[in-house]
Amino acid sequence: MKKLSIIIPAYNEERSIVLILEKIARTELVGKIGKEILIIDDGSKDLTSEKCKQFIQAHPELNIHYHLQSSNQGKGAALRTGIALATGDWTIIQDADLEYDPEDYNVLLQRAIEHDEKVVYGSRFLNPSNKHSYLRFYIGGRLVTFVTNLLYRQHLTDEPTCYKFFDTRFLKSIPLTCQGFEFCPEVTAKVCKRGIKIHEVPIHYYPRSIAEGKKINWKDGLQAIWTLLKYRFKN
């Protein structure tokens, strides 16, 4: 049976981790594709660990694994750990918050299967019904996407999207060094340099506020642009 690996990097997500796991558990994938859920706890200091372990114990029918990083190393480091552990045919990134809807896995899966794509991104901007929490995040995302298209000759609408979907074997072949939020621009840059045209599909988006735990800030946007520039001109 084909399988989708779902990597969840989590840091202090006690308020939402169980809710997102429940949503993933309820999501039925097309073609009877199975799910492998990989929770990578980046050294949380709240009850994230306890809640994950309780959920796993309560759902023995799920193929779910919990991995605790030795220390808080950053989202990129957590994702690299998850990629190394993934055994599915495909891999998708799932933030531990509730901004993205796991039901959209099927939209990405169908595009990948029907067109034999190695990489598919879920675009928040291709769905006109989506709202965005802060103007600065909206502008920042658009700017990073513009720079990506300019440097790498893509036609993306949403480079910083969480929902990045990959053929697992292809993803594992990409040498990543990211530690923090620069995972997105690094993996995008290195996919582009492999000559891959990245296709997008519309997805749903339910933004959370800073008070609700949103962690990214303007410095991460600058780092994203620097990362895109660095890998564009690096051999």
Side-chain angles (χ1 to χ4, degrees):
M1 182 174 66
K2 296 283 188 178
K3 183 170 60 178
L4 173 66
S5 293
I6 302 158
I7 303 176
I8 309 174
Y11 179 66
N12 292 346
E13 296 288 0
E14 64 179 13
R15 289 186 291 184
S16 61
I17 189 67
V18 171
L19 294 173
I20 193 62
L21 289 172
E22 288 174 343
K23 284 192 170 190
I24 294 170
R26 289 195 300 267
T27 300
E28 294 291 332
L29 300 181
V30 294
K32 297 183 179 180
I33 291 169
K35 289 174 287 189
E36 172 185 64
I37 305 169
L38 301 166
I39 307 166
I40 312 300
D41 186 339
D42 193 29
S44 295
K45 296 176 175 58
D46 63 358
L47 297 176
T48 297
S49 176
E50 289 83 348
K51 288 181 177 290
C52 288
K53 291 174 182 177
Q54 289 169 5
F55 185 87
I56 292 170
Q57 187 174 19
H59 296 275
E61 76 283 2
L62 296 177
N63 182 8
I64 180 168
H65 307 274
Y66 172 83
H67 175 88
L68 177 63
Q69 298 279 75
S70 58
S71 62
N72 177 236
Q73 301 172 49
K75 182 178 181 178
L79 287 171
R80 287 192 289 114
T81 296
I83 292 166
L85 295 172
T87 63
D89 299 272
W90 304 278
T91 296
I92 192 168
I93 311 305
Q94 171 69 63
D95 283 348
D97 56 34
L98 302 172
E99 291 193 328
Y100 294 79
D101 187 353
E103 289 290 339
D104 285 329
Y105 294 167
N106 285 316
V107 183
L108 291 112
L109 266 169
Q110 287 175 324
R111 172 74 202 198
I113 293 170
E114 291 172 7
H115 298 273
D116 193 27
E117 305 281 9
K118 292 188 183 301
V119 183
V120 183
Y121 284 8
S123 172
R124 297 164 290 180
F125 298 109
L126 288 179
N127 185 343
S129 67
N130 288 336
K131 300 187 185 320
H132 299 269
S133 56
Y134 298 96
L135 180 61
R136 62 183 180 273
F137 289 143
Y138 174 87
I139 294 173
R142 288 296 203 182
L143 178 59
V144 169
T145 301
F146 172 78
V147 172
T148 302
N149 291 335
L150 183 66
L151 292 174
Y152 295 95
R153 297 184 180 181
Q154 295 284 337
H155 293 89
L156 297 172
T157 63
D158 191 6
E159 189 285 325
T161 180
C162 166
Y163 273 6
K164 290 178 166 64
F165 179 100
F166 305 91
D167 172 273
T168 301
R169 185 177 298 178
F170 175 72
L171 179 59
K172 284 177 178 284
S173 75
I174 299 174
L176 297 171
T177 62
C178 51
Q179 287 293 120
F181 287 109
E182 74 274 20
F183 166 80
C184 282
E186 182 182 355
V187 77
T188 298
K190 291 181 175 179
V191 165
C192 293
K193 294 193 81 170
R194 296 281 186 94
I196 299 287
K197 174 72 173 177
I198 302 173
H199 292 279
E200 296 178 305
V201 293
I203 58 169
H204 298 88
Y205 182 57
Y206 308 96
R208 68 175 176 175
S209 67
I210 292 172
E212 292 171 317
K214 195 172 186 71
K215 300 179 179 71
I216 199 165
N217 59 47
W218 65 270
K219 293 180 182 177
D220 298 304
L222 292 179
Q223 185 179 42
I225 292 173
W226 163 244
T227 301
L228 290 166
L229 285 165
K230 179 176 67 173
Y231 287 113
R232 173 62 181 84
F233 300 106
K234 186 175 182 179
N235 293 328

